[in-house]
Amino acid sequence: LNHLLNIWAASLIQAGSKAILFPDHRDAHRTIDNTPLGDVKWQSFSVKYTGTIPDEDAPPWMADSHDVWFHDPRDVVQNMLANPDFAAEMDLQPYHEFATENDKRQWQDFMSGDWGWAQADIISKDADTHGSTFVPVILGSDKTTVSVATEQNDYYPLHASIGNVRNNVRCAHRNAVAVVAFLPMLKSKWSLILCSILITSPTATKEHADTPGF
């Protein structure tokens, strides 16, 4: 990459330019990493086992570092709330719905349920939250393995949505569901990944299922 950047810089100088876009590959990668995609940029951190490692036959997951890629969930949720396409398809307060024919209770969207109503009652007890909107965050993984970048590492995508958006919008894939993280897959029974939230997810094999300390 540095060689290509040098060729590019030489062509710019030949054309009379005094500015060089990227001095080296580090600057180019830094610029790419700081470029927002879909309004929220990708970030990453690494997690590693910090417990006692046996002197012999230590499983590889104990020594390896595991990358977690994520969008800031708060920014993702803010974008969903600010999306003008959802203005007429969003419930900003819980509600109970009844049929006009027989007065029977009906459920359709998330905010029509009892749990959302109960949470709003709890929030209302705090005077400092009066006028606020309850925004439930829904998380899920579809167990689809994907590869990120060029290292061919397997990940579970973690999806997020908000309960305020109605089901017809969420099912229509109108940006009401977003990928907020890629969780690395370890070759073991459980994969413990920390990403703004703590989530435990079963993986494909049980290679280290009975290993003490895992």
Side-chain angles (χ1 to χ4, degrees), residues 92-96 105 111-136:
L92 298 180
Q93 59 187 23
Y95 64 92
H96 287 168
R105 177 82 178 275
M111 296 297 274
S112 67
D114 290 334
W115 185 80
W117 189 284
Q119 295 302 309
D121 283 344
I122 295 172
I123 293 171
S124 68
K125 295 177 182 178
D126 185 349
D128 292 336
T129 64
H130 288 181
S132 302
T133 296
F134 174 51
V135 181

Side-chain angles (χ1 to χ4, degrees), residues 122-197:
I122 295 172
I123 293 171
S124 68
K125 295 177 182 178
D126 185 349
D128 292 336
T129 64
H130 288 181
S132 302
T133 296
F134 174 51
V135 181
V137 177
I138 303 170
L139 298 173
S141 176
D142 60 8
K143 297 184 180 180
T144 301
T145 60
V146 297
S147 296
V148 177
T150 58
E151 297 180 1
Q152 298 302 307
N153 293 323
D154 288 331
Y155 293 82
Y156 276 145
L158 180 66
H159 302 271
S161 185
I162 55 176
N164 311 81
V165 176
R166 294 175 186 166
N167 289 340
N168 63 301
V169 178
R170 191 177 295 108
C171 294
H173 303 287
R174 289 166 52 190
N175 297 322
V177 179
V179 176
V180 292
F182 287 104
L183 309 180
M185 294 173 58
L186 309 183
K187 292 182 179 179
S188 58
K189 181 179 179 181
W190 301 104
S191 191
L192 189 62
I193 305 303
L194 213 56
C195 168
S196 297
I197 56 160

Side-chain angles (χ1 to χ4, degrees), residues 88-114:
E89 304 285 354
M90 183 179 292
D91 299 310
L92 298 180
Q93 59 187 23
Y95 64 92
H96 287 168
E97 186 175 17
F98 299 87
T100 55
E101 309 84 39
N102 50 27
D103 205 34
K104 284 188 176 180
R105 177 82 178 275
Q106 294 180 331
W107 293 268
Q108 179 175 349
D109 299 307
F110 190 94
M111 296 297 274
S112 67
D114 290 334

Side-chain angles (χ1 to χ4, degrees), residues 190-213:
W190 301 104
S191 191
L192 189 62
I193 305 303
L194 213 56
C195 168
S196 297
I197 56 160
L198 189 65
I199 182 169
T200 305
S201 118
T203 59
T205 71
K206 297 183 179 181
E207 181 180 342
H208 304 297
D210 298 322
T211 303

Side-chain angles (χ1 to χ4, degrees), residues 22-44:
F22 304 110
D24 54 32
H25 71 279
R26 293 185 183 86
D27 187 65
H29 286 150
R30 190 180 305 111
T31 301
I32 293 171
D33 290 340
N34 288 326
T35 301
L37 290 176
D39 297 326
V40 182
K41 71 177 183 179
W42 283 103
Q43 304 177 62
S44 70

